[in-house]
């Protein structure tokens, strides 16, 4: 008969990752919407994406060190949340540029 041994899992940083994902999803939604007067620019989207990517990496690194020092079990969900942050941080500037590229082509000379 096997005894179930439950190991401690560090989940204190999950709300931070979920908040970062939420903000990136909001910016992804704003990137899909075309507006006449742009409330957000490409620089804003790029800045938010880079800062969230760096912040997510720092938090993931800090959590990994805490897990190793305190001998907890690694958490798979935190890894998936970090991967989602990386994917959204890369996708946001690309989606914004693709969706809003037609606005710049309007002023080209076609002869």
């Amino acid at each position: 008969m096997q005894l179930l041994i439950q190991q401690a899992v560090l989940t204190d940083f999950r709300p931070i990752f979920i908040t970062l994902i939420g903000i990136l999803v909001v910016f992804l939604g704003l990137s899909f919407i075309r507006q006449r007067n742009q409330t957000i620019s490409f620089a804003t989207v790029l800045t938010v994406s880079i800062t969230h990517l760096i912040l997510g990496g720092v938090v993931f690194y800090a959590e990994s060190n805490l897990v190793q020092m305190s001998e907890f079990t690694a958490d798979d969900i935190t890894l998936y949340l970090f991967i989602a942050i990386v994917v959204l941080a890369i996708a946001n500037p690309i989606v914004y540029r693709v969706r809003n590229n037609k606005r710049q082509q309007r002023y080209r000379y076609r002869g």
Side-chain angles (χ1 to χ4, degrees):
M1 182 187 259
Q2 292 181 347
L3 296 175
L4 294 175
I5 300 173
Q6 185 175 8
Q7 295 181 349
V9 178
L10 184 66
T11 60
D12 296 340
F13 292 105
R14 276 191 200 169
I16 296 172
F17 286 116
I18 292 170
T19 303
L20 292 176
I21 289 172
I23 293 170
L24 287 172
V25 166
V26 167
F27 271 88
L28 185 66
L30 291 174
S31 295
F32 278 119
I33 299 171
R34 288 189 191 171
Q35 300 171 354
R36 289 191 178 180
N37 56 356
Q38 295 282 331
T39 56
I40 59 169
S41 65
F42 180 71
T44 305
V45 172
L46 189 63
T47 303
V48 167
S49 295
I50 289 172
T51 55
H52 281 66
L53 185 62
I54 291 171
L55 186 61
V58 168
V59 171
F60 187 71
Y61 179 75
E63 182 179 2
S64 298
N65 282 340
L66 283 173
V67 166
Q68 285 180 353
M69 286 181 2
S70 52
E71 298 176 0
F72 287 149
T73 305
D75 187 20
D76 292 337
I77 295 174
T78 303
L79 175 65
Y80 298 142
L81 291 173
F82 178 68
I83 291 172
I85 289 172
V86 170
V87 168
L88 286 171
I90 292 171
N92 274 345
I94 294 171
V95 167
Y96 185 86
R97 183 57 80 186
V98 168
R99 286 290 289 176
N100 296 310
N101 199 18
K102 293 181 181 180
R103 188 177 70 140
Q104 294 175 355
Q105 292 177 355
R106 179 176 13 165
Y107 299 109
R108 290 188 181 172
Y109 175 74
R110 296 178 189 193

